[in-house]
Amino acid sequence: MNQIIKKQILNPTVTLMEIDAPMIAKKAEPGQFIILRVDENGERIPLTIADYNREKGTVTIIFQIVGASTEALNHLNTGDYIQDFAGPLGKATETEGLKKVAVVGGGVGCAIAYPVAKKLHEQGCEVHSIVGFRNKDLVILEEEFKNASSKLVLMTDDGSYGEKGLVTDALKALIEDGNQYDTVITIGPLIMMKFVCNLTKTYGVKTIASMNPIMIDGTGMCGGCRLSVGGKTKFACVDGPDFDGFEIDFDEAIARSSIYKPFERNAHEAVCNLYKMEVK
């Protein structure tokens, strides 16, 4: 079992936890993920590694409370233990040799984009980070992105913070200002990544998208995380999570991601009601 060393509420629906996991911290790289179970009766859920500290032996996860398992996880506190915490899984994001990169993150996907930006920055790459949120109250990791970026553009849908508009608006402006990127790396909601890739394709800028579909075992056996990439079936857990954004069938991925939404909502409601009964 792995102990929670730190818990921090980033916004009303997003929580950061630092977990004691020295073996994982020793091998972790940006882009990889872990699979955890909150307790012995819990389901397996994948969460991307948001940061790691090899000296302390800790791994940081950032998660959005959307279902039963993340609700249960959020009820744990500093000093509590997580039943299972396995990883690192998946392929690390390729960063070697890149000189100038735009990292585009959306919502809680910024938790995945940050370690990539940080690694690139540490390697001497010029990093332009574009991060987008619905409103000011949902902004996360702003200072961290500032420290890991040569340029940071923060967008909100309603204009309550940063610049008003979409991440694609900011990316288009940067490209048309003459910035020539080796690669654009995009991480966030599927619909956001789809339109980022549509934009960059018109300019011929190589684009990598980080895919986080439904996943169970994390080893390529269950097939739950399958995607169509370049007309072939790929598994995000072992072939990814990073793929050529121009080859991903985003429409199929979006359709598959919605299959279990009703079950997720019902399970979340059941767990919330259970905790309310315990409080009473």
Side-chain angles (χ1 to χ4, degrees), residues 6 9 16-17 142 149 181 184 196 208 222 234 277:
K6 173 185 175 182
I9 306 301
L16 176 151
M17 285 183 175
E142 181 180 4
S149 309
Y181 299 113
V184 170
V196 167
I208 299 298
C222 75
K234 298 289 185 179
M277 291 175 61

Side-chain angles (χ1 to χ4, degrees), residues 32-43:
Q32 293 184 299
F33 64 95
I34 55 90
I35 283 185
L36 65 79
R37 284 198 308 160
V38 177
D39 55 49
E40 62 182 7
N41 296 315
E43 65 177 343

Side-chain angles (χ1 to χ4, degrees), residues 30-249:
Q32 293 184 299
F33 64 95
I34 55 90
I35 283 185
L36 65 79
R37 284 198 308 160
V38 177
D39 55 49
E40 62 182 7
N41 296 315
E43 65 177 343
R44 297 163 59 89
I45 59 170
L47 292 172
T48 301
I49 295 170
D51 208 349
Y52 50 86
N53 188 312
R54 303 201 200 284
E55 293 182 0
K56 290 173 60 179
T58 60
V59 170
T60 299
I61 55 174
I62 296 176
F63 60 93
Q64 187 171 23
I65 306 163
V66 294
S69 293
T70 45
E71 181 69 41
L73 180 59
N74 195 53
H75 274 78
L76 299 181
N77 293 297
T78 301
D80 290 338
Y81 288 84
I82 295 173
Q83 178 74 28
D84 297 317
F85 198 79
L89 300 166
K91 294 181 178 178
T93 299
E94 295 181 8
T95 59
E96 291 295 329
L98 298 176
K99 303 299 182 183
K100 188 171 184 176
V101 174
V103 177
V104 184
V108 74
C110 292
I112 309 170
Y114 166 64
V116 175
K118 179 182 177 183
K119 179 70 174 289
L120 288 164
H121 181 71
E122 290 173 348
Q123 291 177 339
C125 178
E126 181 179 349
V127 179
H128 291 183
S129 294
I130 305 167
V131 294
F133 306 90
R134 290 200 305 273
N135 57 56
K136 181 180 180 179
D137 294 337
L138 300 180
V139 174
I140 61 172
L141 302 175
E142 181 180 4
E143 288 302 314
E144 287 83 352
F145 271 106
K146 283 182 179 177
N147 294 332
S149 309
S150 307
K151 182 179 183 65
L152 172 63
V153 182
L154 194 154
M155 310 291 290
T156 51
D157 294 353
D158 62 1
S160 56
Y161 195 62
E163 299 180 24
K164 183 177 182 179
L166 305 175
V167 292
T168 46
D169 299 329
L171 179 59
K172 181 178 181 181
L174 287 171
I175 293 174
E176 293 190 346
D177 280 346
N179 288 289
Q180 297 182 354
Y181 299 113
D182 298 331
T183 304
V184 170
I185 300 173
T186 182
I187 306 166
L190 287 168
I191 192 66
M192 182 206 83
M193 294 194 291
K194 174 183 175 178
F195 282 104
V196 167
C197 293
N198 287 347
L199 173 68
T200 54
K201 193 170 186 177
T202 64
Y203 293 97
V205 182
K206 179 182 177 182
T207 304
I208 299 298
S210 179
M211 303 296 286
N212 294 278
I214 296 163
M215 193 179 295
I216 300 173
D217 68 278
T219 62
M221 292 189 292
C222 75
C225 66
R226 65 186 180 277
L227 303 160
S228 292
V229 181
K232 299 179 180 179
T233 297
K234 298 289 185 179
F235 299 102
C237 63
V238 291
D239 298 320
D242 293 347
F243 296 96
D244 184 333
F246 300 160
E247 295 192 344
I248 297 168
D249 186 336

Side-chain angles (χ1 to χ4, degrees), residues 43 67-69 71 261-272:
E43 65 177 343
S69 293
E71 181 69 41
K261 291 293 184 184
F263 298 95
E264 187 177 72
R265 284 194 297 270
N266 291 338
H268 187 199
E269 289 174 6
V271 168
C272 288

